């Protein structure tokens, strides 16, 4: 992929003549770099893609989709949620510009990611606005059933943060029924939903809530020892969220700490 990009760069006229081919080559290269956590290279390639001036609608849409998809993913993985909120306006502009031209599954992915970015930054009202865009659009539900499931869970967590206890009690039953019927109920999701349905209504003090969060966190950590179950929490880091509640720290700080520890693990005793 790298050699193909370099060949295009050596013959700038080819970029003008074949913008779609060039963007496709750069897209493949940036995805590979992202897979291997080469974030600095990804950033340079994203800038390279966005610097391309072309009349090709297909190429411009590919630049928008791939560059923001990778950039947002990097920001989320590194816990840079507040920084991520600063590119939401550009995303909104692009989504409006290409409305009806971008596939529904891509739109849904962006909606969920923007909601999660705001959630991570602690702006729960804005997070709710974006998650509602998914929940209120039936066309999106079938485009990515996995992200619709994540959206249902994130919606409950957002309402918890907003203090909408009565709404949660009603909504959790609907969510549980949907996921069970659709055969999309992972063990981790079932664990969280049972906590909200059964245990949460019985908790009366903050101290008991913190203790219950600790128990739920431990259960999720045990469940996600299974690689398949771990995948279900890749897009919604509930374990870090629970840790933030237990330790009374911002979710963003906890995620950043986890990232630092993954690069510099504590030595074995």
């Amino acid at each position: 992929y790298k050699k193909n990009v370099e060949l295009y760069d050596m013959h700038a006229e080819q970029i003008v003549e074949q913008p779609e081919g060039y963007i496709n080559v750069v897209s493949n290269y940036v995805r590979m770099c992202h897979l291997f956590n080469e974030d600095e290279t990804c950033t340079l390639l994203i800038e390279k893609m966005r610097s391309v001036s072309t009349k090709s609608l297909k190429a411009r849409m590919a630049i928008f989709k791939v560059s923001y998809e990778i950039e947002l993913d990097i920001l989320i993985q590194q816990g840079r949620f507040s920084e991520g909120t600063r590119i939401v306006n550009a995303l909104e502009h692009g989504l409006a510009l290409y409305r009806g031209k971008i596939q529904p599954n891509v739109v849904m992915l962006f909606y969920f990611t923007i909601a999660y970015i705001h959630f991570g930054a602690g702006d729960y009202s804005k997070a709710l606005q974006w998650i509602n865009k998914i929940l209120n659009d039936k066309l999106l539900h079938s485009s990515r059933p996995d992200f619709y499931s994540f959206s249902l869970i994130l919606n409950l967590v957002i309402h918890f943060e907003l203090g909408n206890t009565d709404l949660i009690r009603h909504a959790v039953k609907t969510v549980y029924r949907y996921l069970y019927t659709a055969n999309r109920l992972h063990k981790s999701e079932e664990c969280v939903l049972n906590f909200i349905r059964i245990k949460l209504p019985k908790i009366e003090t903050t101290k008991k809530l913190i203790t219950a969060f600790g128990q739920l966190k431990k259960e999720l950590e045990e469940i996600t020892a299974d690689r398949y179950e771990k995948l279900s929490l890749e897009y919604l880091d509930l374990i870090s969220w629970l840790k933030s509640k237990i330790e009374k720290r911002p979710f963003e700080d906890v995620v950043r700490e986890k990232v630092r520890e993954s690069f510099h693990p504590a030595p074995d005793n």
Side-chain angles (χ1 to χ4, degrees):
Y1 293 126
K2 183 179 180 181
K3 286 184 179 179
N4 289 335
V5 173
E6 289 173 345
L7 280 172
Y8 264 106
D9 288 340
M10 288 169 61
H11 302 280
E13 72 280 1
Q14 293 296 318
I15 299 175
V16 177
E17 294 173 8
Q18 303 175 25
E20 293 172 17
Y22 178 66
I23 296 304
N24 184 54
V25 166
V26 178
S27 296
N28 288 333
Y29 184 31
V30 75
R31 289 186 191 281
M32 185 192 72
C33 291
H34 183 46
L35 185 65
F36 289 99
N37 296 316
E38 297 176 11
D39 295 339
E40 289 185 9
T41 303
C42 285
T43 300
L44 292 173
L45 289 170
I46 286 169
E47 291 175 358
K48 183 187 290 287
M49 290 178 71
R50 291 178 182 163
S51 69
V52 173
S53 178
T54 174
K55 294 181 179 179
S56 167
L57 175 63
K58 187 175 180 181
R60 293 200 305 272
M61 286 173 57
I63 292 168
F64 169 75
K65 175 184 175 294
V66 176
S67 68
Y68 281 106
E69 179 185 314
I70 299 295
E71 183 175 13
L72 286 168
D73 207 23
I74 290 171
L75 291 170
I76 287 173
Q77 286 183 0
Q78 294 181 352
R80 294 156 59 195
F81 297 100
S82 296
E83 187 177 337
T85 63
R86 294 199 283 272
I87 65 172
V88 169
N89 285 341
L91 266 169
E92 284 189 85
H93 175 73
L95 288 169
L97 184 65
Y98 302 121
R99 189 185 306 278
K101 298 181 179 69
I102 299 179
Q103 294 177 327
N105 64 305
V106 176
V107 173
M108 185 173 190
L109 178 63
F110 276 129
Y111 283 178
F112 179 86
T113 305
I114 295 171
Y116 193 47
I117 282 280
H118 282 303
F119 172 81
D123 193 336
Y124 306 117
S125 295
K126 284 188 178 178
L128 184 60
Q129 289 175 18
W130 284 94
I131 214 70
N132 279 338
K133 288 178 181 288
I134 295 174
L135 302 184
N136 297 332
D137 190 336
K138 291 185 178 179
L139 177 63
L140 297 181
H141 300 179
S142 58
S143 69
R144 283 295 299 262
D146 53 346
F147 273 92
Y148 180 57
S149 300
F150 301 149
S151 300
L152 291 171
I153 301 295
L154 180 56
N155 182 56
L156 292 175
V157 180
I158 291 170
H159 280 296
F160 175 85
E161 290 285 15
L162 290 170
N164 299 330
T165 309
D166 291 339
L167 191 150
I168 293 173
R169 288 172 183 169
H170 170 73
V172 69
K173 297 176 184 177
T174 305
V175 173
Y176 189 95
R177 193 182 309 115
Y178 167 80
L179 293 177
Y180 181 81
T181 304
N183 196 30
R184 300 201 63 85
L185 191 61
H186 294 280
K187 289 180 182 178
S188 54
E189 292 168 341
E190 185 174 18
C191 181
V192 171
L193 292 174
N194 282 337
F195 174 83
I196 296 171
R197 284 193 315 148
I198 301 167
K199 295 182 180 179
L200 190 58
K202 299 175 183 178
I203 298 172
E204 299 173 348
T205 67
T206 302
K207 185 177 180 180
K208 288 182 179 179
L209 180 61
I210 296 299
T211 300
F213 276 155
Q215 293 170 346
L216 177 59
K217 178 175 174 286
K218 184 178 179 182
E219 289 175 30
L220 287 177
E221 286 170 339
E222 291 173 355
I223 289 171
T224 53
D226 180 326
R227 187 170 178 273
Y228 175 72
E229 287 294 332
K230 187 176 182 178
L231 287 172
S232 70
L233 292 182
E234 275 195 355
Y235 294 97
L236 181 55
D237 191 350
L238 291 175
I239 292 175
S240 290
W241 177 74
L242 287 166
K243 184 176 181 180
S244 76
K245 297 287 102 182
I246 294 164
E247 298 180 359
K248 299 180 181 179
R249 298 166 56 201
F251 173 66
E252 185 168 26
D253 289 354
V254 173
V255 175
R256 286 190 173 194
E257 180 181 77
K258 185 178 76 170
V259 173
R260 288 195 299 270
E261 290 175 352
S262 69
F263 283 104
H264 304 286
D268 295 331
N269 293 325

